Amino acid sequence: MDGIADLRDRYLNEIGGAADEATLENVRLAALGKKGEVSLLMRSLGKMSPEERKTAGPELNALKNTLNDAITEAKDRLAAAALDARLATEWADVTLGARPSRQGSVHPISQVTEEVTTIFADLGFSVAEGPQIETDFYNFDALNISPEHPARQEMDTFYMARAEGSNAAPNVLRTHTSPVQIRHLEAHGTPCRVIAPGRVYRSDYDQTHTPMFHQIEGLAIDRDINMANLKWVLEEFFSAFFGTSVKTRFRSSYFPFTEPSAEVDIQCEWVDGQVRVGQGDDWLEVLGSGMVHPKVLKAAGVDPNEWQGFAFGMGIDRIAMLKYGIPDLRAFFDSDLRWLRHYGFGALDVPTLRGGV
Amino acid sequence: MKFTLGWLKEHLDTTADLETITDALTDLGMEVEGVTDPSEALAPFTVGHVLEAEQHPDADRLRVCRVATADGEKQIICGAPNARAGIKVVIASPGDYIPGIDTTIKVGKIRGIESFGMMLSEREMELSDEHDGIIELDPSAEVGQKYLDLFPSDPVIEIAITPNRPDALGVAGIARDLAARGLGKVITPEIEPVKGNEPCPKPVYLAPDVATEACPLFTGRLIRNVKNGPSPQWLQDRLKAIGLRPISALVDITNYLTYDRARPLHVFDADKVHGSITVRLARPGEKLTALDEKDYTFDGSETLVCDDNGPEGIGGIMGGLASSCTDETTNVFVEAAWFDPTRTARTGRRLRINSDARYRFERGIDPAFTQQGMELATKMILDLCGGEPSDIFVAGDVPDHSRSYSLRPARVSELVGMDVARDEQTRILTALGFGVTGAGDTLDVTVPGWRPDVQGEADLVEEVSRVVSLSQLESQPMKRPAGVAGQVQTPMQKREFAARRQIAALGYNECVTYSFIDQASAALFGGGKDNMRLENPISSEMSHMRPALLPGLLQAAARNQARGYSDLALFEVGYAFHGGEPGEQHLLASGLLTGHTGPRDPHGARRPVDLYDAKADVEAVLSRLGAPAKLMTRRDAREWWHPGRHAMLCLGPKNVLAIFGEIHPRVLNAMDVKGPAVGFTVFLDSIPFPRQSGATRQALNLHDLQPVERDFAFVLDAQVEAEDVLKAVRGADKKLIADASVFDVFSGERAEAQMGTGKKSLAVSIRLQPVSATLTDAEIGDISKKVVSAVEKSTGGVLRQ
């Protein structure tokens, strides 16, 4: 059947020559459509004798498959060419700025508070809180600071106004986080290990003082906790916090609510006006601490003959300045957008011990 | 507290150098705040001899001097009136730094004539304020000799004294501590009593209202025929070195003993004290002009030293002007008394007098040293001013503050973690003046009169560890909980941290603003009342506790706008206050958006912020904190919100969880913030914690059948709320309608033109989720009809044709 060979050659030619998908479709319909030439031949198979059908059937099927394959191949080729042609016209200036999205930030005080909390959590300290407006009992008397005690005068306390004619002692804005010691012991008793971060207030405003700042209080009470334990806890803390081994130096000092009392210095070095913690021969005062005074334990309802322990108070703002090289305390509270962006932390920068705070 | 090294060495025989001494002071708890050693600054200066001094041809006040110096003869121009031939002077050469004028001098021409150096005044050398002329040295000074060789300098040490150490407010007490540390031997001279020539002619009477407590002891002594005048140079130098102004010998002696022995004294001009001395409480309204030449009025609580005419001194604080000593004084009455610390502190604070005497009495001085102080003062007065003393009149008795405590030497190790041998503990306490006896496991320790702070065993432990040095403390690991560290934050603390991170993640910058703000700003937010007023604010900008976080954020926005930043997203998480009592504070998270969504961009994404930005953020925060998804909306929040453009999200009618919306334009105007400004506040305390405590989630039910979406447009009255329409839609078939949302609003003039005055159109999309079989067109048609009639019934809306 020479006719079939001719048909194949003709349609393969037409398929190969189709310039677009519409022409190709016309060719397909002409060959393989319902009334297409090949389809009609296939339908004529029924009228053939079995002998004729034996040879013509496979030949026609082969023709149909060949044409189908050729059409599919041509379709893919044309589609690829059309895509290439479209892409050739599509170009964007990728150096244009992106659609803007806001970048939020977390304040260094919040970040450092979380860092400190994370480290102390590992040492078994939970987080306690207390009110920022305090009675003079919790802020002073319970902490062994009697009304005329010079230490009370040195505190630069803010007092809340009392109504005219009221004889009650005015409340104060807490001058330290130490009242939380009393409130926590009253509520939860002993033994205990807590830290208490928060705002504190003193009437002082100059280069290095703001009338509000942040402290973190530490308190650990048990039967046999001593000052050497305090030194260990602080050295562990500072080393984790600064990410380098930090030595501390204890110096005798005085706080009415601890006995013995010590100022604690950390090892540091000054390089080009910047402080480097954990190296060098200089010392930098960072916190006050001591063994909780027996009178304070008594005021909190704890028997000082059975229980003892340490307390410390540290400036959050100050250790944030040290760790992150932030120069001016006053700027912490100014909310200058440029400062917030520069010294702030990403929303997802949650401090973890496994990642190193 | 200031003193000089030389002064210290009169009490302490030591070979330690300055640095060893200052290190030890800091370590002992007397933190060295500064050491001023003038020798460095004075080192270059030498002695010169003015050979000739002639009038400068072109300047009346200047003289051209020929001066013999260490480097030979020099020509020096000098403007001092006393520059003249023959005097010995102090010379600075070109290249030397002159501290008093903060200049390094060089060869220069003064009015046309060259000058090769400078002759110095005391002020130029920072020795004093004296600048009337150049220093004239003793004629015996040799040309070229170093000034420092003539006048060896004495370093001044300034230390901070903690309130518990009144004894260290005298040089002798400081020496005692250093000696206990092992830095030398105390050599404070013994005090020899001075015999009186006559009985004291001025008796002292302690009124009953002071005799038991306020002033239990008062000693007095008359000294006749003294000669007052400037005190000797050594005394003046010493006082000047610690920043005191020499006045006269009698006054200088009292100041000297205040600093030398922490023993304040007072010297009256006896001829101005009328009759006898009475110490009593003030009578309300009594007045006195004190030595500081200020008038004080008393309220009756003060201890006064009086004569027959009335008050002559405020006990323990300051003497009166009328009876004070002058250069003409010839007969003096010396007072050494003991005043109660508490009353002294209260009086000093009430009258706002800060004197060296008050500073010491209110910290508590050694009562046993009262009469010795008197003997010491007498001796100095006799030595420097002459005179004939009377006997001492002693009114009252030395108050008995004696007490003793048991010290278990093992406590040092138990409390501090430092091992100190029992003998060493005894040695230290003894060196500090404590009496130590006893054997076995405890020591009996009596406390000396100069240590009012020592009140128990813990204080004794501190004394031992302090003197041994806490710098030798070695850290000891503290027992820590076994196993994995547990949760340490309360649910509320976790919530606070979560809110902060969430809001930052939404693109806001966290601020920490002051807890106190000005009254006007507080009043705009419902605060500013007296119950939240500070009695002693540091400024009027910080006078009231903040009633909300938004005013602080708005102030921050105004500051940033003034700096040229107007597209702001600021937030704060913290406490606001609703009263002046402890606990009257509540935890808030507030955000503020101003200006545009971002900077200008080429994509047209920029638009002014509006309340739906705030709504998106507040919903994200509430969702993060686990607040219930379905909240009631109320529109009647307080007056700082835009009345028509805000909402409160509530759980029930009373419990407001959050508010969002536009800030009232009046508030923006008052706070100088350029709008638009929208914000939100989340009341972190008000959100209930989920009841379920476990971690298990509810099972997830998914349907395999394809959901179907259908859209509707309803014509409604303009003030019908979308939420009411959606509620009706959802209620039309609760089983099949899985979701309904508004995707278009057509309102305003053009809408009214089409649909009638006061109308708008809402386009709503519903999503039908078949559960058991695919929905037929007829079923979908039925649901659509139900939706339309439900909307019509509840809102009056009709399907838009």
Side-chain angles (χ1 to χ4, degrees):
Chain A
M1 281 180 69
D2 283 344
I4 286 181
D6 287 347
L7 270 180
R8 187 182 60 216
D9 291 348
R10 179 154 53 85
Y11 278 113
L12 284 178
N13 251 345
E14 283 181 26
I15 290 167
D20 53 40
E21 289 190 61
T23 318
L24 184 64
E25 180 65 5
N26 287 338
V27 176
R28 189 186 68 81
L29 287 173
L32 302 170
K34 271 188 183 168
K35 288 174 183 169
E37 221 171 331
V38 178
S39 307
L40 291 175
L41 280 175
M42 296 283 280
R43 232 172 284 160
S44 70
L45 279 177
K47 295 164 193 163
M48 291 180 191
S49 68
E51 286 74 29
E52 281 177 319
R53 210 180 295 147
K54 221 177 220 171
T55 51
E59 278 179 353
L60 278 172
N61 265 331
L63 172 63
K64 188 181 160 189
N65 287 341
T66 304
L67 294 183
N68 262 334
D69 288 350
I71 287 167
T72 306
E73 185 273 330
K75 225 180 210 165
D76 289 352
R77 178 168 40 77
L78 287 173
L83 184 61
D84 284 347
R86 195 187 97 209
L87 292 182
T89 68
E90 289 178 350
W91 180 89
D93 180 357
V94 296
T95 66
L96 269 184
R99 218 162 261 117
S101 71
R102 283 195 311 248
Q103 293 300 310
S105 60
V106 168
H107 197 283
I109 287 172
S110 303
Q111 184 77 13
V112 168
T113 304
E114 284 193 40
E115 291 175 0
V116 174
T117 309
T118 304
I119 297 167
F120 276 105
D122 189 62
L123 294 169
F125 287 70
S126 54
V127 183
E129 287 166 290
Q132 294 179 18
I133 296 176
E134 266 295 4
T135 63
D136 62 345
F137 173 77
Y138 283 105
N139 197 72
F140 294 125
D141 301 66
L143 293 165
N144 194 28
I145 312 172
S146 57
E148 297 301 334
H149 196 293
R152 193 184 282 212
Q153 315 315 324
E154 287 173 7
M155 283 271 199
D156 298 320
T157 311
F158 282 117
Y159 293 92
M160 296 300 295
R162 277 279 181 220
E164 193 103 11
S166 164
N167 285 326
N171 288 328
V172 303
L173 294 188
R174 65 177 180 190
T175 55
H176 44 193
T177 41
S178 306
V180 184
Q181 290 183 28
I182 308 293
R183 289 188 179 271
H184 183 83
L185 286 172
E186 280 181 346
H188 303 282
T190 50
C192 80
R193 290 183 189 192
V194 288
I195 54 167
R199 294 182 172 204
V200 297
Y201 305 88
R202 291 187 199 176
S203 180
D204 201 355
Y205 195 37
D206 58 33
Q207 286 272 332
T208 53
H209 296 88
T210 48
M212 175 187 90
F213 55 104
H214 296 75
Q215 270 191 350
I216 201 148
E217 190 80 8
L219 176 71
I221 305 289
D222 212 322
R223 306 230 174 236
D224 55 2
I225 290 179
N226 64 29
M227 210 166 187
N229 295 144
L230 167 64
K231 188 173 163 89
W232 179 82
V233 164
L234 292 175
E235 287 183 346
E236 288 297 306
F237 164 73
F238 283 119
S239 297
F241 181 75
F242 288 106
T244 177
S245 174
V246 178
K247 288 201 194 86
T248 66
R249 180 178 75 172
F250 277 44
R251 270 186 295 111
S252 287
S253 188
Y254 168 76
F255 307 106
F257 32 95
T258 49
E259 192 78 49
S261 306
E263 300 260 25
V264 179
D265 302 337
I266 54 174
Q267 179 197 6
C268 73
E269 183 176 34
W270 292 90
V271 183
D272 303 330
Q274 286 258 342
V275 67
R276 305 253 171 89
V277 172
Q279 59 192 61
D281 300 327
D282 274 344
W283 296 98
L284 191 67
E285 183 181 321
V286 285
L287 63 85
S289 67
M291 299 301 290
V292 179
H293 199 291
K295 286 182 182 167
V296 173
L297 290 174
K298 249 183 243 166
V302 172
D303 181 356
N305 294 317
E306 284 192 43
W307 301 94
Q308 64 180 48
F310 62 72
F312 61 85
M314 173 167 60
I316 295 175
D317 326 64
R318 180 156 168 73
I319 61 170
M321 291 168 81
L322 283 176
K323 179 169 179 178
Y324 294 108
I326 307 175
D328 184 3
L329 175 65
R330 291 172 300 185
F332 276 70
F333 310 116
D334 190 48
S335 309
D336 185 328
L337 188 61
R338 298 163 296 180
W339 190 95
L340 298 176
R341 284 179 176 157
H342 184 79
Y343 290 112
F345 293 81
L348 301 182
D349 294 341
V350 180
T352 62
L353 282 185
R354 65 176 190 278
V357 291
Chain B
M1 170 74 189
K2 280 183 179 176
F3 56 95
T4 69
L5 183 61
W7 195 341
L8 176 68
K9 286 185 173 176
E10 286 181 7
H11 293 279
L12 183 71
D13 179 15
T14 182
T15 53
D17 60 16
L18 181 61
E19 197 183 338
T20 309
I21 289 171
T22 55
D23 284 352
L25 286 169
T26 294
D27 191 59
L28 283 161
M30 291 171 280
E31 192 175 349
V32 174
E33 298 199 307
V35 176
T36 321
D37 188 354
S39 64
E40 205 170 305
L42 299 178
F45 306 137
T46 54
V47 176
H49 186 201
V50 182
L51 305 171
E52 239 177 62
E54 286 175 2
Q55 184 63 42
H56 190 294
D58 293 324
D60 287 350
R61 292 198 186 156
L62 296 182
R63 261 166 279 252
V64 181
C65 304
R66 205 156 54 75
V67 187
T69 74
D71 306 322
E73 265 184 43
K74 294 276 174 71
Q75 173 174 291
I76 296 174
I77 315 290
C78 184
N82 63 336
R84 61 186 193 280
I87 60 172
K88 292 276 176 67
V89 295
V90 184
I91 298 290
S93 303
D96 291 346
Y97 175 78
I98 316 294
I101 53 174
D102 189 22
T103 306
T104 301
I105 59 163
K106 46 189 184 203
V107 180
K109 276 191 180 171
I110 301 175
R111 293 282 175 108
I113 298 183
E114 278 193 308
S115 181
F116 296 88
M118 190 168 166
M119 294 184 272
L120 301 175
S121 70
E122 289 193 7
R123 192 169 79 189
E124 284 154 350
M125 294 170 73
E126 282 194 335
L127 299 175
S128 76
D129 287 338
E130 178 62 46
H131 195 54
D132 289 342
I134 53 175
I135 295 175
E136 295 183 33
L137 297 171
D138 192 271
S140 64
E142 288 172 28
V143 171
Q145 203 178 359
K146 292 250 176 213
Y147 174 83
L148 276 180
D149 292 341
L150 275 177
F151 300 99
S153 83
D154 195 2
V156 180
I157 302 166
E158 181 168 15
I159 56 180
I161 302 293
T162 52
N164 61 323
R165 291 299 305 278
D167 63 310
L169 294 170
V171 179
I174 296 166
R176 188 188 301 119
D177 261 32
L178 288 168
R181 172 54 74 84
L183 253 59
K185 208 174 112 220
V186 171
I187 51 167
T188 302
E190 287 292 316
I191 292 162
E192 292 160 26
V194 180
K195 212 175 136 9
N197 296 334
E198 57 172 332
C200 182
K202 280 208 183 293
V204 177
Y205 171 68
L206 298 180
D209 55 7
V210 298
T212 52
E213 191 204 317
C215 179
L217 173 65
F218 189 108
T219 65
R221 166 180 254 172
L222 190 78
I223 306 178
R224 294 183 198 272
N225 296 322
V226 299
K227 190 181 175 312
N228 201 7
S231 57
Q233 193 63 40
W234 70 265
L235 180 50
Q236 292 200 22
D237 287 347
R238 202 154 267 185
L239 294 178
K240 278 195 271 184
I242 62 167
L244 295 181
R245 192 164 50 92
I247 292 166
S248 67
L250 290 169
V251 177
D252 293 354
I253 287 167
T254 63
N255 284 335
Y256 179 76
L257 290 175
T258 298
Y259 278 82
D260 190 58
R261 301 299 182 94
R263 176 63 247 187
L265 301 152
H266 187 65
V267 182
F268 295 90
D269 183 329
D271 297 328
K272 298 176 195 160
V273 175
H274 304 280
S276 60
I277 299 277
T278 301
V279 185
R280 59 166 170 83
L281 289 188
R283 298 178 187 118
E286 265 185 309
K287 288 186 169 72
L288 174 71
T289 305
L291 273 172
D292 58 6
E293 299 183 18
K294 290 183 187 153
D295 296 330
Y296 296 97
T297 306
F298 305 113
D299 70 0
S301 66
E302 301 86 352
T303 307
L304 297 182
V305 181
C306 308
D307 66 3
D308 292 353
N309 290 352
E312 295 295 351
I314 312 165
I317 295 181
M318 194 174 273
L321 186 62
S323 56
S324 64
C325 294
T326 63
D327 285 352
E328 289 74 43
T329 298
T330 52
N331 301 314
V332 295
F333 181 77
V334 185
E335 163 203 321
W338 195 88
F339 296 101
D340 174 60
T342 303
R343 188 179 296 271
T344 308
R346 208 186 309 132
T347 298
R349 193 153 53 88
R350 204 185 71 72
L351 301 176
R352 294 173 206 262
I353 302 177
N354 289 311
S355 65
D356 286 330
R358 170 195 165 186
Y359 197 73
R360 284 161 179 75
F361 276 115
E362 71 183 6
R363 281 161 176 72
I365 62 166
D366 181 6
F369 194 73
T370 311
Q371 195 162 334
Q372 285 172 292
M374 171 64 81
E375 299 287 14
L376 200 53
T378 310
K379 174 102 180 10
M380 269 191 94
I381 291 170
L382 296 185
D383 286 352
L384 303 186
C385 309
E388 299 109 39
S390 76
D391 292 339
I392 297 174
F393 191 102
V394 179
D397 295 303
V398 176
D400 183 10
H401 295 167
S402 64
R403 60 204 182 280
S404 64
Y405 303 102
S406 301
L407 170 65
R408 293 161 285 169
R411 274 307 273 167
V412 175
S413 167
E414 287 170 19
L415 207 53
V416 184
M418 210 156 65
D419 290 326
V420 183
R422 181 199 160 94
D423 286 353
E424 176 63 1
Q425 296 192 31
T426 304
R427 184 200 69 76
I428 288 168
L429 291 169
T430 308
L432 292 174
F434 292 82
V436 184
T437 56
D441 291 340
T442 53
L443 300 172
D444 292 320
V445 184
T446 54
V447 182
W450 58 83
R451 292 303 300 271
D453 59 305
V454 173
Q455 300 278 346
E457 188 181 38
D459 300 280
L460 298 172
V461 169
E462 174 173 71
E463 289 309 299
V464 170
S465 59
R466 183 175 73 86
V467 172
V468 170
S469 176
L470 286 178
S471 67
Q472 294 180 15
L473 184 61
E474 284 181 25
S475 64
Q476 293 170 13
M478 186 165 77
K479 272 180 247 152
R480 49 187 294 162
V484 175
Q487 174 186 335
V488 298
Q489 284 183 306
T490 63
M492 188 56 78
Q493 288 159 358
K494 280 174 73 180
R495 168 174 288 176
E496 181 188 338
F497 282 45
R500 177 178 291 119
R501 295 278 166 193
Q502 176 64 60
I503 300 171
L506 291 166
Y508 290 72
N509 301 105
E510 188 186 12
C511 304
V512 173
T513 68
Y514 285 108
S515 302
F516 19 59
I517 55 174
D518 61 291
Q519 181 173 22
S521 299
L524 287 172
F525 289 82
K529 301 194 180 71
D530 256 5
N531 62 341
M532 290 200 277
R533 181 169 64 84
L534 295 191
E535 184 62 43
N536 55 338
I538 201 159
S539 80
S540 61
E541 299 301 302
M542 299 179 170
S543 60
H544 286 72
M545 299 311 286
R546 59 183 182 187
L549 304 183
L550 281 173
L553 291 175
L554 286 162
Q555 287 175 345
R559 286 195 298 272
N560 279 299
Q561 287 179 345
R563 292 184 195 110
Y565 292 83
S566 49
D567 300 332
L568 301 165
L570 304 176
F571 83 102
E572 180 162 7
V573 179
Y575 285 99
F577 300 83
H578 50 273
E581 293 297 321
E584 290 184 335
Q585 58 183 37
H586 51 283
L587 190 59
L588 301 180
S590 282
L592 176 71
L593 297 170
T594 66
H596 289 77
T597 51
R600 291 202 293 175
D601 69 89
H603 315 290
R606 184 180 204 241
R607 57 176 174 75
V609 295
D610 63 31
L611 77 101
Y612 300 105
D613 294 314
K615 185 174 187 180
D617 296 336
V618 83
E619 284 177 346
V621 176
L622 288 172
S623 158
R624 176 78 178 77
L625 302 183
K630 282 183 188 156
L631 294 174
M632 239 176 80
T633 300
R634 275 175 50 189
R635 291 172 162 275
D636 52 345
R638 298 287 300 272
E639 62 275 13
W640 50 92
W641 296 99
H642 184 302
R645 296 185 180 169
H646 79 270
M648 297 196 283
L649 301 175
C650 314
L651 200 62
K654 290 234 175 99
N655 190 12
V656 182
L657 305 193
I659 309 179
F660 68 91
E662 278 186 27
I663 311 295
H664 199 293
R666 188 165 18 89
V667 171
L668 295 184
N669 197 30
M671 300 190 75
D672 277 330
V673 174
K674 288 189 276 297
V678 297
F680 66 83
T681 294
V682 178
F683 298 85
L684 298 179
D685 300 321
S686 301
I687 304 172
F689 286 100
R691 253 175 256 146
Q692 192 192 343
S693 57
T696 315
R697 307 281 177 100
Q698 281 188 329
L700 175 64
N701 285 318
L702 292 177
H703 301 287
D704 291 338
L705 297 165
Q706 186 93 11
V708 181
E709 295 203 350
R710 283 289 180 277
D711 295 346
F712 303 83
F714 295 104
V715 176
L716 300 146
D717 287 343
Q719 298 232 333
V720 171
E721 292 183 345
E723 192 53 45
D724 288 339
V725 176
L726 292 176
K727 213 182 279 171
V729 170
R730 289 189 195 107
D733 191 326
K734 285 188 178 154
K735 252 173 76 186
L736 285 172
I737 299 177
D739 197 13
S741 61
V742 172
F743 66 91
D744 193 33
V745 181
F746 182 39
S747 63
E749 275 178 34
R750 279 184 49 227
E752 294 195 12
Q754 281 184 33
M755 294 172 288
T757 310
K759 297 288 183 187
K760 70 175 172 187
S761 159
L762 277 190
V764 176
S765 171
I766 65 170
R767 189 178 174 87
L768 301 168
Q769 178 60 60
V771 180
S772 49
T774 308
L775 296 173
T776 64
D777 284 351
E779 285 169 326
I780 295 173
D782 282 351
I783 294 169
S784 295
K785 273 182 211 145
K786 279 199 271 180
V787 165
V788 172
S789 72
V791 169
E792 183 165 2
K793 195 172 156 203
S794 72
T795 69
V798 295
L799 201 61
R800 191 174 163 196
Q801 300 302 327

